[in-house]
Structure formats: C-alpha cells, structure tokens
C-alpha cells in the first residue's frame, strides 16, 4: 500500500537506498519518506546498522605440527556515513570477512607452538582485527570486536596433553608425599632421641637416689647398731632387695619365669660377685 501511494517507512537502526531509474539517488534515514514510483523512484534495499556477529572456524597447524581448529568471533556493523559503499561494493560481506580471517590465522598460528597458541590468543585476535579493520573500512564496515573464543586441538592431542598434565601432578604429589614422610621420620627420630635422653636422665637419677639411699641406710645402721661392719650392712641390704624382687615377681600376673638362685645363701654369692667386680675394676684402673 505504501508503494502504491509512494510512501516508504524505514525502520530504526536501518537505512534505505533510494534509486531513480536504477541509479543511486539518496540514503533514506529512519522514518516515512515519499518515493514516487511513477517518476522512476524506488527503494533498492535496506541496510541494517546493528552490530552483527560472524563465527569463523579455521583449521590450521602450529609450529610443532599439531593441527588445531581456531574459532574466531567477529563483531561488525555498517557505517551510516558509508552506507553507499556498504551496500554497493560488497555482494557477500560474511564471505569476505571469513576470507580475511582465514588468511590472518593461517599466517599467524604456524609461527607459534601449541602452548604458545593458547597463551597468545589476544595477539592472534589483535592481528585479525587490525587486518580486517584495514580491509573492511574501504567497504563501509567497522570491526567492533574480534575474539578468539576457542582453540581446539585434535582429540588425541588433547588426551595426550591431559595425560602429561596428570603425570606432572602425580609427580609433584609423590614428591610432596615423600617430603612429608621424610619430615615425619625426622620428627619421630627426634622424639625418640629426646625420649631416650629423658629416660636416661630418669635412670641416672633413679640410680643416684638408690646410691644415696643405700649410703644413708648404711650410715644410720652403723650409728644405731655398734659393732657392725660395712660388709654386714651391705649383705643385709642386698637380702632385703632380694626378697623385695622375689615378692614383685610373684605378685605380677604377667611376669615371665625367672630362674635365679633363691636360697638365702644366694645373697652372699651376689654380694661376693659385686665385691669381686669392684675390686677387679679398681685393679684394672690402677
């Protein structure tokens, strides 16, 4: 109906190209316009000014001969001030952009190894954007943003990379576990040494206390019982210790069998052995 009356409506964020007898005449902005068809005027087509997105998948190989698929996302739009160029100069904008993306990616990625390709995604995107900006500005298009959204190696390569990563992590875990075991053993050895040291101090103090007790007993007995000799007192002390030991062994439910001379005369033998040992030790030192 609008064409019959010679009125045309142009939507927001769009431009219309007006021709007269097939020749470009004007760019119609959003709103209502009079296009008298009877005088040869017509709307040749519309041009959207909205930002469009084109996803490009490009297969190439890296410097270390690994084939990867690079997925680039190109965001572009037509410029209002260059609407004529954008409408007339390109017949297929998406194919043109795709060709430039292929060219830049296949020139950049083969110079990098696989790990560097993942690390330098921004540099690849920047190179694509600069090349597209130079090429597409002549056709009335602006490159808004270029993103490298994904880099996909071959499935076997991905599996190998995961196995390498897993092996490295296992190696680190094994080292950490060994280090922890080492620290645990060191701490256990230090604790054992400290325990034995303290046990030695306890035994030394115990023996010192026994010696002091025996000395005090001998001195007290000598003072209270005149006429006794040191030998008699030592024999009596050893006899007392002997019976205390036998009593403890008999009272314990978990004690092992101990075969020792159990007659009262055995104390005399024990005392003789102690005296002989002391005499031999003194003779050896002299």
């Amino acid at each position: 109906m609008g064409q019959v009356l010679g009125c045309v409506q142009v939507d927001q964020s769009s431009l219309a190209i007006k021709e007269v007898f097939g020749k470009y005449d004007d760019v119609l902005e959003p709103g209502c316009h009079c296009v008298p068809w009877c005088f040869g005027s017509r709307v040749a087509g519309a041009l959207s000014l909205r930002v469009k997105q084109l996803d490009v998948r490009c297969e190439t190989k890296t410097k270390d001969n690994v084939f990867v698929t690079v997925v680039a996302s190109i965001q572009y739009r037509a410029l209002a001030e260059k609407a004529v160029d954008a409408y007339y100069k390109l017949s297929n904008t998406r194919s043109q952009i795709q060709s430039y993306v292929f060219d830049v990616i296949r020139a950049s990625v083969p110079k990098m190894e696989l790990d560097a390709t993942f690390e330098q995604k921004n540099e690849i995107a920047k190179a694509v954007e600069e090349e597209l900006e130079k090429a597409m500005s002549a056709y009335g298009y602006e490159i808004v943003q270029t993103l490298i959204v994904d880099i996909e190696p071959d499935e076997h390569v991905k599996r190998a990379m995961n196995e390498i990563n897993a092996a490295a992590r296992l190696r680190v875990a094994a080292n950490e576990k060994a280090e922890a075991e080492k620290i645990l053993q060191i701490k256990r050895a230090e604790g054992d040494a400290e325990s034995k040291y303290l046990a030695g101090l306890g035994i030394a103090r115990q023996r010192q206390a026994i010696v002091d007790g025996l000395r005090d007993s001998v001195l007290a007995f000598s003072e209270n019982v005149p006429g006794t000799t040191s030998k008699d007192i030592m024999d009596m002390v050893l006899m007392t210790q002997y019976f205390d030991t036998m009593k403890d062994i008999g009272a314990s439910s978990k004690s092992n069998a101990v075969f020792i001379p159990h007659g009262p005369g055995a104390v005399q033998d024990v005392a003789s052995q102690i005296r002989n040992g002391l005499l031999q030790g003194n003779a050896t030192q002299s």
Side-chain angles (χ1 to χ4, degrees):
M1 189 68 178
Q3 287 282 15
V4 174
L5 298 177
C7 294
V8 175
Q9 176 183 311
V10 180
D11 296 332
Q12 185 65 34
S13 299
S14 299
L15 297 176
I17 305 298
K18 178 183 175 183
E19 293 180 349
V20 177
F21 295 112
K23 181 180 180 181
Y24 165 74
D25 182 64
D26 194 10
V27 176
L28 305 182
E29 296 184 352
C32 184
H33 300 271
C34 180
V35 182
W37 58 271
C38 56
F39 295 106
S41 299
R42 74 181 185 96
V43 175
L47 182 67
S48 175
L49 300 180
R50 295 179 181 179
V51 176
K52 300 178 182 179
Q53 178 167 309
L54 173 64
D55 293 330
V56 180
R57 298 178 63 88
C58 177
E59 185 179 17
T60 183
K61 77 170 186 174
T62 61
K63 187 177 181 180
D64 45 355
N65 297 322
V66 177
F67 280 89
V68 296
T69 299
V70 181
V71 181
S73 180
I74 313 300
Q75 298 174 357
Y76 65 99
R77 66 180 177 184
L79 297 173
E81 60 273 17
K82 295 184 177 181
V84 178
D85 293 336
Y87 184 80
Y88 286 105
K89 285 189 175 181
L90 283 180
S91 61
N92 193 329
T93 307
R94 298 172 69 88
S95 297
Q96 186 80 1
I97 293 176
Q98 185 175 5
S99 298
Y100 280 110
V101 172
F102 281 171
D103 181 65
V104 175
I105 289 179
R106 287 174 177 169
S108 301
V109 173
K111 299 178 182 178
M112 308 176 186
E113 295 185 352
L114 181 60
D115 293 339
T117 304
F118 283 94
E119 296 171 359
Q120 300 180 19
K121 288 173 55 178
N122 292 336
E123 284 73 7
I124 299 174
K126 185 177 179 181
V128 173
E129 183 174 351
E130 290 177 352
E131 186 67 23
L132 284 176
E133 188 68 34
K134 290 189 297 183
M136 299 305 295
S137 61
Y139 299 107
Y141 283 91
E142 175 190 11
I143 304 301
V144 178
Q145 187 72 29
T146 301
L147 302 173
I148 302 298
V149 296
D150 198 8
I151 298 176
E152 302 174 356
D154 183 78
E155 190 63 31
H156 298 291
V157 177
K158 291 169 66 175
R159 189 179 301 112
M161 292 173 65
N162 290 333
E163 291 176 356
I164 292 172
N165 191 17
R169 292 181 181 273
L170 288 175
R171 183 169 61 252
V172 172
N175 290 336
E176 294 294 333
K177 184 178 180 181
E179 190 67 23
E181 289 291 339
K182 175 183 176 182
I183 295 174
L184 184 62
Q185 292 181 4
I186 291 174
K187 293 299 181 182
R188 188 183 294 116
E190 291 177 352
D192 187 49
E194 185 69 16
S195 175
K196 290 180 179 179
Y197 172 74
L198 295 176
L201 290 179
I203 293 174
R205 291 175 181 174
Q206 179 187 19
R207 291 176 178 174
Q208 184 64 40
I210 292 173
V211 172
D212 293 340
L214 290 175
R215 184 181 65 248
D216 295 340
S217 298
V218 171
L219 293 176
F221 198 88
S222 299
E223 293 176 357
N224 295 326
V225 183
T228 57
T229 63
S230 299
K231 176 180 178 302
D232 297 332
I233 297 171
M234 184 60 68
D235 290 340
M236 186 186 68
V237 171
L238 289 175
M239 177 67 74
T240 303
Q241 293 291 330
Y242 172 78
F243 282 114
D244 289 341
T245 302
M246 295 299 294
K247 179 181 177 182
D248 292 337
I249 293 175
S252 178
S253 61
K254 296 182 180 181
S255 61
N256 296 324
V258 178
F259 296 96
I260 60 175
H262 59 278
V267 178
Q268 182 69 28
D269 296 336
V270 173
S272 299
Q273 293 175 10
I274 292 175
R275 283 195 299 272
N276 292 335
L278 292 174
L279 292 175
Q280 291 177 3
N282 292 332
T284 301
Q285 292 178 357
S286 61

